[in-house]
Amino acid sequence: MRISDLLKKDTIILDLQAVSKADVIDELVMKLDEAGRLNNKEDYKKAILAREDQSTTGLGEGIAIPHAKTAAVRTPAIAFGRSIAGINYDALDGQPSQLFFMIAASEGANNEHLATLSKLSTFLMDTTFRDQLLDAQSIDDVMAIIDRKEAEESDEEEEEVQSTSADDTFIIGVTGCPTGIAHTYMAADALKKEAQERGFSIKVETNGSGGVKNRLTKEDIDRADGIIVAADTKVEMDRFDGKRIVIAPVADGVRKPAQLIDRSLAGKEAVYSAQGGQKEESGESHSSGGFGKSVYKHLMNGVSNMLPFVIGGGILLAISFLFEVDALLGEDNVVTNILGFIGGDNAFALFIPVLAAFIAMSIADRPGFAPGLIAGYMAYNGDAGFLGGLLAGFLAGYMALGVKKLLSNIPQSLDGLKTILFTPVLNILFTGLIMYVLITPLASVNTGLQNWLGNLGTGNMVILGIVLGIMMAIDMGGPINKAAYTFGIAMLDAGNLGPQAAVMAAGMVPPLGIAIATTFWKHKFTKQQRESGRTNYVLGASFITEGAIPFAAADPVRVISASVIGAAIAGGLTGLFQITLPAPHGGVFTMLLVNDSTFSYMGLYALAIIIGAIVTGVLYGIMKRPID
């Protein structure tokens, strides 16, 4: 498949009108939508923004490649936009970006599509190719330049390992990014090019959307003089046990290949241990991002896999309460019983075991899953609550690593039994014994926390609401926001419904405030920003805080400060009004569930959200600089 099969004339903009990163995304998404390549414009944009939230796709050298793989894409496609003047896209080199390729990969994109999309990203490493695109006078010129480049590349036999002798300096690498479309292959090409210029042999394994390509062999690893893992996604690491490895973000592979190669050959990197990550000579364990970052990564892996159970089961359970108070159906009716059985007795009941299982799996891979699930189920049955589930997950994960180390010297003749017998039995036994001892004190802590929150006076609930509001708005979907949301879910599990009401109200404020500002201060926003602002009415009402991220990225000080103030007010007011909410998600669509479906409280809850949104909108509208 050729690039021209995905990049068509109707998805090319030679002269972007955008003046900011948010505008670029809006304009290119709109172009793809108008060309009929998307199923759902807003969902696709949300996926693009989620990828940008992980790390900027402004790669430097004037290039930006926003990309996403999602079911919101109808047909795999590429949109190209150009700005001769350049636009601030938060590029890694701090310079304006001029060439923008937005890649839209469908959820079911086949390997041929993915290979073509990734091929484009490697072309952009060529300075001459970029210069030709900047000089193109028409859309036809752009298509001709890309076709010519593709023809040139197809005539060349690319050696995956540039090697002439086993005595050459030999480097191996692994690259991977969360989406597996652009950065993965650009990093691989940059490392290959740098090594080739120095006369080194190199082999790079890519972990992309189409699977692992050019997989490293045991012989490659044993022979390597330097090893580089430039990845922002999980790769197979146990094979590097006992080796010195350079571990870096995939963006460093694109931007700093020379530094990574120098480090890999210097022999000063930490020794990797399959039991505990990287270790220094003294044996002290550490990771490339620090212990705190590792804990957060494991926790978020558990939370993200838990959310479908919490949201789906929690909302069904909450809806069952509506029918329970229905005068016509009566308290004990078939609708309440069915929804309660599905949502509460089963789906919602599983979220603590699932949380623990995926935390443990993030730490220890598959050996951690079974003990994590069982320990989480023990925490649920023992009334240890959300806190018990968290502890169960980390306990099971690190216990699995310990058992793996314990069995590392087992005779080779018993290796077959180790995986299917010894490992699961010991993991479950040791984790289960410790959880058996801890369940009673954890249940006491959970009950104490529940009682403490239940006895909080109005003043303290206001303070708690303000704090949760600030946390929800300060990074809009980032670690602090997720911590507040996780706390709200934990309180739902503990039977205290007030904190989640504050969390939900505060989370709706930033996008709603942005929408108000773009509506009433139109002269301060571009056309694209105003259109994006209107979509934030829907995103905000749906409790999708991330809708405000493009505006925050373009103008962080004003947007975040206005959002934090408005969200804090909304969260504080929910505490003042003593609002409770049993639903973990849904925004205004769960408004009927407030305080056991009491209309007066529904009005007060809506008032808290509206006041917070107006405060954010007015503050941002006043502080926003007029368009130059």
Side-chain angles (χ1 to χ4, degrees):
M1 176 175 284
R2 298 177 63 82
I3 291 173
S4 55
D5 293 328
L6 300 175
L7 176 64
K8 300 291 187 180
K9 293 181 180 180
D10 60 352
T11 58
I12 294 177
I13 306 174
L14 274 187
D15 186 16
L16 285 168
Q17 301 302 302
V19 296
S20 69
K21 179 177 180 176
D23 294 345
V24 172
I25 292 172
D26 285 341
E27 198 167 344
L28 292 177
V29 169
M30 183 68 71
K31 192 67 174 175
L32 287 169
D33 188 54
E34 290 173 348
R37 306 302 197 275
L38 305 179
N39 289 320
N40 187 305
K41 179 178 68 174
E42 297 306 326
D43 284 353
Y44 176 69
K45 179 182 173 182
K46 183 181 175 184
I48 287 286
L49 294 177
R51 176 61 187 88
E52 293 294 329
D53 196 34
Q54 293 170 339
S55 62
T56 181
T57 57
L59 301 176
E61 309 295 341
I63 309 165
I65 312 182
H67 54 276
K69 182 181 178 183
T70 168
V73 174
R74 176 177 299 161
T75 306
I78 303 169
F80 170 62
R82 185 181 70 176
S83 170
I84 300 300
I87 298 168
N88 179 9
Y89 200 86
D90 299 330
L92 295 172
D93 60 0
Q95 300 301 310
S97 301
Q98 297 172 290
L99 302 175
F100 304 88
F101 283 89
M102 179 172 279
I103 297 175
S106 60
E107 201 166 57
N110 58 38
N111 289 342
E112 189 178 13
H113 283 133
L114 296 171
T116 305
L117 293 170
S118 63
K119 181 166 55 177
L120 170 65
S121 63
T122 64
F123 287 177
L124 290 168
M125 302 301 291
D126 185 343
T127 305
T128 303
F129 178 64
R130 298 199 302 265
D131 290 342
Q132 289 173 346
L133 290 175
L134 286 172
D135 293 336
Q137 299 299 308
S138 66
I139 291 177
D140 287 333
D141 287 348
V142 171
M143 299 297 291
I145 291 165
I146 293 173
D147 286 342
R148 187 163 59 246
K149 175 67 174 176
E150 198 162 18
E152 291 172 1
E153 293 293 322
S154 64
D155 292 338
E156 298 177 3
E157 279 290 332
E158 182 181 3
E159 296 275 340
E160 286 186 327
V161 181
Q162 292 86 27
S163 178
T164 56
S165 149
D167 297 328
D168 290 342
T169 298
F170 180 51
I171 299 166
I172 60 174
V174 181
T175 62
C177 73
T179 310
I181 297 175
H183 290 66
T184 300
Y185 303 97
M186 295 183 77
D189 271 26
L191 290 169
K192 289 178 185 177
K193 182 179 178 182
E194 180 65 30
Q196 192 174 25
E197 288 176 355
R198 299 193 191 189
F200 298 156
S201 302
I202 188 167
K203 179 177 180 180
V204 183
E205 172 186 302
T206 54
N207 287 248
S209 289
V212 175
K213 304 294 183 185
N214 204 25
R215 184 182 290 276
L216 299 175
T217 65
K218 186 177 186 301
E219 290 73 23
D220 294 329
I221 296 170
D222 291 341
R223 177 188 161 200
D225 299 297
I227 304 175
I228 300 167
V229 176
D232 292 332
T233 189
K234 190 171 183 178
V235 298
E236 185 184 342
M237 294 294 293
D238 285 2
R239 53 190 164 157
F240 300 124
D241 189 32
K243 302 290 185 179
R244 294 187 180 275
I245 310 174
V246 176
I247 299 180
V250 70
D252 284 359
V254 179
R255 297 285 304 150
K256 304 174 182 177
Q259 294 180 24
L260 296 185
I261 288 175
D262 288 341
R263 285 173 55 191
S264 73
L265 297 176
K268 297 180 180 179
E269 296 301 312
V271 175
Y272 182 81
S273 168
Q275 276 74 40
Q278 283 188 314
K279 291 179 179 266
E280 302 291 359
E281 293 295 344
S282 64
E284 183 181 355
S285 178
H286 72 88
S287 71
S288 61
F291 180 72
K293 186 174 181 180
S294 296
V295 169
Y296 174 74
K297 183 189 78 171
H298 303 322
L299 174 60
M300 285 302 103
N301 188 62
V303 169
S304 63
N305 284 284
M306 169 196 78
L307 283 180
F309 296 86
V310 174
I311 295 170
I315 289 180
L316 286 177
L317 179 62
I319 292 174
S320 73
F321 299 154
L322 285 177
F323 292 96
E324 188 175 3
V325 298
D326 188 285
L328 183 62
L329 293 175
E331 183 174 338
D332 186 18
N333 62 81
V334 65
V335 177
T336 295
N337 291 339
I338 290 174
L339 293 179
F341 179 72
I342 296 171
D345 295 343
N346 291 281
F348 201 66
L350 282 172
F351 89 78
I352 289 177
V354 168
L355 169 74
F358 281 95
I359 289 175
M361 189 175 181
S362 177
I363 295 169
D365 214 334
R366 283 181 294 179
F369 186 82
L373 190 68
I374 292 167
Y377 192 57
M378 291 174 70
Y380 172 76
N381 284 328
D383 294 325
F386 190 86
L387 179 63
L390 288 177
L391 182 62
F394 285 102
L395 171 65
Y398 288 113
M399 182 61 70
L401 290 180
V403 168
K404 183 177 181 179
K405 188 172 184 178
L406 180 68
L407 298 176
S408 59
N409 295 320
I410 196 170
Q412 192 172 359
S413 59
L414 297 176
D415 262 359
L417 287 175
K418 181 171 71 174
T419 303
I420 63 172
L421 179 62
F422 300 148
T423 296
V425 169
L426 293 178
N427 283 344
I428 293 170
L429 174 63
F430 293 156
T431 303
L433 286 173
I434 295 174
M435 278 302 297
Y436 185 82
V437 174
L438 293 177
I439 280 176
T440 300
L442 284 171
S444 299
V445 171
N446 189 51
T447 302
L449 179 62
Q450 183 177 347
N451 292 336
W452 175 73
L453 284 168
N455 293 327
L456 278 181
T458 300
N460 288 328
M461 283 302 297
V462 170
I463 294 172
L464 179 60
I466 290 172
V467 172
L468 290 173
I470 292 171
M471 293 176 69
M472 285 300 293
I474 202 163
D475 62 353
M476 302 178 189
I480 300 174
N481 171 284
K482 290 294 187 292
Y485 182 61
T486 302
F487 176 77
I489 292 173
M491 293 305 97
L492 279 184
D493 177 62
N496 189 294
L497 311 183
Q500 183 60 25
V503 165
M504 185 113 60
M508 289 189 271
V509 163
L512 290 175
I514 294 294
I516 290 170
T518 55
T519 299
F520 293 97
W521 280 267
K522 292 182 180 180
H523 62 288
K524 293 188 175 184
F525 297 91
T526 65
K527 180 182 178 183
Q528 288 80 11
Q529 287 174 326
R530 292 195 298 271
E531 290 175 352
S532 178
R534 285 197 294 271
T535 65
N536 272 284
Y537 282 114
V538 178
L539 295 176
S542 303
F543 185 46
I544 301 175
T545 314
E546 290 84 350
I549 287 177
F551 291 86
D555 192 5
V557 175
R558 295 177 181 84
V559 172
I560 292 175
S561 58
S563 297
V564 164
I565 293 171
I569 290 172
L573 287 175
T574 61
L576 179 66
F577 298 151
Q578 298 181 337
I579 305 297
T580 61
L581 181 65
H585 211 289
V588 297
F589 303 103
T590 58
M591 191 76 74
L592 291 175
L593 305 174
V594 167
N595 289 71
D596 295 326
S597 305
T598 305
F599 285 106
S600 59
Y601 281 102
M602 292 179 202
L604 289 173
Y605 190 48
L607 182 63
I609 297 167
I610 292 168
I611 291 174
I614 290 174
V615 169
T616 293
V618 170
L619 287 175
Y620 182 43
I622 292 173
M623 292 190 294
K624 177 78 166 67
R625 289 180 179 177
I627 297 173
D628 185 359

